[in-house]
């Protein structure tokens, strides 16, 4: 059931001075665990097994890429890098040790934005705007530093104790203004990226942010992939919103949102709203939920999340099997969530 990679980190109890608690998430090449330092302060540790062969692998490229990018970031809506090492001893339950590489990140105790929308339903305009504004603030900062994130999606939008956005996962971040390699997650990729053309990572970030915004408002992705023959994307870019809604969801949006969204996901990156134009748009400047509103409403939503996602730090990761079935449940949910209602188009 477990890969060797997972077995290796499964039974660890400490890494350096950190005491390991429960698992927060599993990535493609790493595992994220809640950890406490000697003062009791909590961090999220991104951990991978370190061996001489692995040190030359793609996984490690991403590991160093994340560290080098995050080191440069200092913003209220970006997860802070606290400490890292590419060679640290992890002590296992039986007292044996292994070498690991880890990144100690700020702990975002309210988990992934993804879970709130997937499990507790769509957000109001004012709530969606609150989160979207913070995502745009983070992107404005990242782009201002000369970087693009390239994996903007709700799973990488974490929430701190006050439900403020903490953007995470800088493994794909780049300073290249023209990118050649396709990175990220299909549903959030801009059409030029999907088509394997050269692209600008910052333009792609804004495209992905618009997809997130749509998901927050409807609980559904706007299309499967932003490709010319995707039946949903096709409707949107032709402005056939009536047909789009007929097959997609029973919803009506204000004209200002339709204008905002259409211009954010235009097939031609040059025609898309720039960050400055986004911030000037009528929809962007509509009413926003207050921080108190968000804390109240989202604390209530949080109670409805399944325990695995609510990140209780007192549930020790002793039941490996139970956790893995929860993880399976979560990925099934993800598949359902990504499925758009079928119908005649
Ligand atoms: N999952 C992945 N990274 C996390 C973090 N920093 N805080 C909380 N949950 C996480």
């Amino acid at each position: 059931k477990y890969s060797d990679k997972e077995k290796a980190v499964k039974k660890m109890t400490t890494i350096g001075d950190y005491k390991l608690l429960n698992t927060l998430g599993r990535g493609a090449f790493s595992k994220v665990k809640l950890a406490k330092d000697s003062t009791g302060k909590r961090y999220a540790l991104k951990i991978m097994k370190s061996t001489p062969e692995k040190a030359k692998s793609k996984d490690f490229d991403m590991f160093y890429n994340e560290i080098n990018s995050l080191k440069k970031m200092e913003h209220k809506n970006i997860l802070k890098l606290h400490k890292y090492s590419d060679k640290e001893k992890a002590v296992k339950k039986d007292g044996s040790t292994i070498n690991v590489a880890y990144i100690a990140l700020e702990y975002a105790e309210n988990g992934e934005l993804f879970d709130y929308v997937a499990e507790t339903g769509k957000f109001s305009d004012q709530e969606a705007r609150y989160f979207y504004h913070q995502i745009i603030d983070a992107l404005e900062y990242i782009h201002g530093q000369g970087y693009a994130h390239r994996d903007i999606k709700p799973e990488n939008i974490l929430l701190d104790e006050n439900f403020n956005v903490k953007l995470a996962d800088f493994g794909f971040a780049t300073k290249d203004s023209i990118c050649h390699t396709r990175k990220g997650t299909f549903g959030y990729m801009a059409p030029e990226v999907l088509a394997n053309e050269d692209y600008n990572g910052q333009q792609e970030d804004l495209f992905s942010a618009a997809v997130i915004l749509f998901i927050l408002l409807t609980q559904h992705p706007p299309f499967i992939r932003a490709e010319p023959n995707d039946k949903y994307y096709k409707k949107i870019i032709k402005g056939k919103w009536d047909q789009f809604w007929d097959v997609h969801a029973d919803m009506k949006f204000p004209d200002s949102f339709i204008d905002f969204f259409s211009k954010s996901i235009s097939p031609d990156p040059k025609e898309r709203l720039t960050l400055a134009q986004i911030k000037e748009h009528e929809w962007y400047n509509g009413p926003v939920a207050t921080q108190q509103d968000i804390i109240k409403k989202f604390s209530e939503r949080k109670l409805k999340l399944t325990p695995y996602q609510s990140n209780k730090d007192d549930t020790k990761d002793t039941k490996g099997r139970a956790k893995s079935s929860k993880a399976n449940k979560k990925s099934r949910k993800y598949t359902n969530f990504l499925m758009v209602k079928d119908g005649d188009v």
Side-chain angles (χ1 to χ4, degrees):
K1 201 83 197 299
Y2 285 93
S3 66
D4 287 347
K5 213 177 354 191
E6 280 184 325
K7 266 185 211 144
V9 284
K10 201 178 143 199
K11 296 237 176 77
M12 293 181 305
T13 57
T14 63
I15 289 182
D17 296 329
Y18 295 98
K19 199 166 170 283
L20 300 184
L21 301 160
N22 57 298
T23 300
L24 296 171
R26 284 167 224 262
F29 72 94
S30 61
K31 191 166 183 174
V32 182
K33 283 192 156 268
L34 180 63
K36 274 185 181 172
D37 70 7
S38 53
T39 71
K41 199 165 161 30
R42 295 180 297 177
Y43 296 93
L45 256 58
K46 201 177 223 185
I47 306 157
M48 58 193 279
K49 197 181 163 190
S50 172
T51 58
E53 316 85 77
K54 280 214 87 179
K56 295 187 216 107
S57 70
K58 280 229 170 68
D59 295 353
F60 260 74
D61 291 346
M62 270 178 78
F63 176 84
Y64 291 116
N65 194 44
E66 169 143 41
I67 291 166
N68 291 327
S69 327
L70 261 188
K71 258 190 201 169
K72 312 252 167 58
M73 309 288 164
E74 173 95 44
H75 187 271
K76 62 180 185 1
N77 299 119
I78 299 174
L79 205 64
K80 280 189 181 48
L81 171 68
H82 174 68
K83 206 174 160 185
Y84 61 88
S85 169
D86 56 11
K87 207 167 191 294
E88 183 61 271
K89 290 253 180 297
V91 181
K92 302 220 266 181
K93 264 206 189 110
D94 64 4
S96 65
T97 62
I98 54 164
N99 286 324
V100 294
Y102 76 88
I103 310 177
L105 298 157
E106 175 181 7
Y107 174 53
E109 72 170 56
N110 281 319
E112 295 173 12
L113 185 63
F114 178 89
D115 295 331
Y116 291 83
V117 65
E119 294 190 43
T120 70
K122 58 194 179 197
F123 299 179
S124 72
D125 276 23
Q126 302 199 11
E127 291 166 344
R129 223 175 251 116
Y130 179 90
F131 294 109
Y132 183 73
H133 281 185
Q134 295 192 0
I135 295 167
I136 290 297
D137 284 351
L139 289 178
E140 185 171 34
Y141 175 82
I142 293 167
H143 297 177
Q145 299 293 106
Y147 280 86
H149 180 282
R150 296 201 296 173
D151 201 12
I152 297 296
K153 56 178 172 178
E155 296 90 320
N156 290 339
I157 312 286
L158 301 177
L159 301 174
D160 73 5
E161 67 278 14
N162 294 318
F163 297 95
N164 284 313
V165 164
K166 297 282 173 177
L167 181 58
D169 233 325
F170 280 69
F172 291 148
T174 184
K175 273 197 116 164
D176 296 344
S177 56
I178 302 167
C179 306
H180 313 286
T181 38
R182 201 158 80 163
K183 300 279 185 197
T185 306
F186 289 129
Y188 304 91
M189 279 183 195
E192 66 276 16
V193 184
L194 284 165
N196 274 311
E197 290 163 15
D198 287 352
Y199 67 95
N200 174 277
Q202 299 180 346
Q203 286 173 337
E204 133 130 299
D205 284 345
L206 297 177
F207 182 98
S208 310
V211 175
I212 294 182
L213 174 60
F214 187 98
I215 291 172
L216 299 184
L217 289 167
T218 67
Q219 206 192 21
H220 290 285
F223 34 72
I224 312 291
R225 290 186 189 191
E227 287 171 339
N229 57 357
D230 181 281
K231 61 181 175 179
Y232 303 99
Y233 190 59
K234 208 157 52 180
K235 296 287 173 207
I236 300 175
I237 61 183
K238 287 186 183 148
K240 294 183 178 170
W241 284 92
D242 287 349
Q243 289 176 29
F244 176 82
W245 291 125
D246 282 349
V247 297
H248 199 295
D250 207 5
M251 277 190 76
K252 279 279 175 283
F253 278 136
D255 289 346
S256 71
F257 178 77
I258 296 207
D259 186 74
F260 184 69
F261 184 68
S262 309
K263 288 176 177 165
S264 298
I265 58 145
S266 167
D268 183 351
K270 291 190 293 296
E271 281 180 10
R272 279 180 219 143
L273 296 180
T274 62
L275 211 142
Q277 288 167 334
I278 286 172
K279 292 179 79 174
E280 283 165 8
H281 196 279
E282 183 190 346
W283 190 86
Y284 189 91
N285 290 292
V288 190
T290 63
Q291 166 104 6
Q292 289 99 303
D293 271 351
I294 293 287
I295 293 174
K296 183 170 180 293
K297 296 268 172 52
F298 281 75
S299 300
E300 287 164 14
R301 282 180 185 254
K302 191 184 177 185
L303 300 173
K304 297 184 198 155
L305 300 181
T306 55
Y308 179 57
Q309 281 107 319
S310 74
N311 297 334
K312 283 236 160 57
D313 67 348
D314 51 359
T315 46
K316 278 230 176 94
D317 186 28
T318 48
K319 295 185 182 97
R321 232 166 255 157
K323 295 250 177 206
S324 109
S325 86
K326 281 267 169 57
N328 285 340
K329 212 179 275 170
K330 191 170 168 178
S331 62
R332 266 205 305 280
K333 210 173 275 164
Y334 182 69
T335 317
N336 289 339
F337 167 72
L338 273 180
M339 265 180 341
V340 195
K341 206 172 80 190
D342 248 3
D344 291 333
V345 186

